Amino acid sequence: MISAEQVLALGFPRAVEALRAALAGGLDPESEPARSRVALGGGEVLIMPSGDDRIAGVKLVGIAPGNPARGLPRIHGTYVLFDAPTLAPRAVLDGAALTSLRTPAVSALGVDLVAPPGARKLVVFGTGPQALGHVEALRAVRPIDSVRVVGRSHERTARFVGQVARAEAADADAVADADIVACCTTAREPLFDGRRLKPGAVVVAVGSHEPEAREVDTETVRRCGALVESRAVAVREAGDIIQAGLDETELVTFADLVRGTTPARPRLIKTVGMGWEDLVIAAAVVQALA
């Protein structure tokens, strides 16, 4: 049994490098089993399997939208790592902590692949754990010295700003001066006007994994191009991509850039979360504890 503290102790730098190494080594996100969703109780359970000939794993994620009003986290989860040949369980990890590590680490890998080395001005939409994790993860790959936070609640925004060095509250117009914009919300409509982005700005959007929901507008997608985890998954689940009308031929993947198979450098990093990412990082956590 691996606790949340033990999962998070891996840290973003090692998580980013584990993801990079897996893709460089030939891992194929396009061959992943599809995520399934089951309506249960006060929300839904996501089932996310992945595996190769050595290890396999599955994450069960419970999403209950009413939990914050109860003083509980919106997301709970459990991850089980198996030995692939025998399917004997090797470890059980805190799934919420794994998600808190994995999602920002994937974003940080994307930023490291496409953002200018000197990118330092960050605008963050959201005030929850993912927003906080993204600040830390992006600071691991770029010299971020300015963080402007856009939140719906003045109280939560003020609390968030108090937790982050060199941070201040802002509104959506702050994107006009941003080198990097991170969207870490549950919004279902665009958070800002893409025409406000300055040339060269990089946008990260992680909040939605449904065709009907998006955090960025069509202008942002068309202006920036799109970097995705998997072409097939993006056109099936990523509302930001689907609603902008992009097809698979217009998308670039993390694997393309890690392996150097394309000179393209899209500036919108759109992720929905995939099982291979959890598997890679869970294996790295177990290895680090061995």
Side-chain angles (χ1 to χ4, degrees):
M1 300 292 293
I2 298 177
S3 69
E5 292 76 14
Q6 291 172 305
V7 171
L8 296 174
L10 181 70
F12 289 115
R14 284 190 289 178
V16 169
E17 291 313 308
L19 293 165
R20 193 194 311 269
L23 292 173
L27 185 149
D28 180 16
E30 302 294 348
S31 66
E32 279 284 288
R35 166 176 32 214
S36 58
R37 301 164 59 179
V38 181
L40 287 173
E44 63 178 358
V45 173
L46 307 183
I47 304 167
M48 301 174 63
S50 185
D52 57 24
D53 58 357
R54 300 175 301 104
I55 53 173
V58 61
K59 184 165 74 173
L60 301 175
V61 181
I63 303 176
N67 275 4
R70 303 182 180 101
L72 297 172
R74 180 173 175 269
I75 297 174
H76 291 92
T78 297
Y79 193 88
V80 183
L81 186 69
F82 300 90
D83 173 70
T86 64
L87 291 181
R90 290 181 56 187
V92 178
L93 295 82
D94 185 287
L98 184 61
T99 302
S100 294
L101 179 63
R102 173 264 276 168
T103 304
V106 174
S107 296
L109 175 59
V111 166
D112 199 37
L113 291 169
V114 304
R120 64 182 189 83
K121 295 182 179 180
L122 171 65
V123 170
V124 178
F125 286 84
T127 56
Q130 279 297 333
L132 195 61
H134 272 74
V135 174
E136 183 179 348
L138 297 181
R139 279 181 162 162
V141 297
R142 287 298 180 271
I144 304 296
D145 62 10
S146 168
V147 180
R148 306 188 74 185
V149 184
V150 185
R152 291 180 296 179
S153 161
H154 175 76
E155 180 181 352
R156 287 196 295 270
T157 302
R159 187 181 309 122
F160 186 95
V161 167
Q163 294 176 278
V164 176
R166 298 183 297 280
E168 62 179 328
D171 60 28
D173 287 340
V175 300
D177 190 42
D179 297 320
I180 303 172
V181 178
C183 303
C184 312
T185 75
T186 57
R188 302 188 71 81
E189 298 293 336
L191 296 165
F192 61 88
D193 183 343
R195 294 173 296 182
R196 299 282 291 164
L197 292 169
K198 71 178 185 181
V202 171
V203 179
V204 176
V206 303
S208 70
H209 58 267
E210 302 170 67
E212 302 81 15
R214 61 176 175 170
E215 294 177 291
V216 301
D217 60 12
T218 298
E219 175 71 19
T220 299
V221 178
R222 289 292 178 181
R223 176 178 293 197
C224 296
L227 177 65
V228 300
E229 301 138 297
S230 154
R231 292 180 175 87
V233 170
V235 299
R236 184 175 68 236
E237 298 185 6
D240 310 73
I241 304 300
I242 295 166
Q243 294 183 46
L246 269 64
D247 62 33
E248 290 191 24
T249 65
E250 299 175 272
L251 305 176
V252 175
T253 69
F254 281 73
D256 293 334
L257 297 190
V258 168
R259 297 170 193 162
T261 59
T262 175
R265 286 295 183 272
R267 293 183 291 106
L268 167 64
I269 302 162
K270 173 55 198 170
T271 66
V272 297
M274 292 185 65
W276 68 267
E277 300 156 355
D278 293 309
L279 179 69
V280 167
I281 295 179
V285 169
V286 171
Q287 183 176 8
L289 292 172

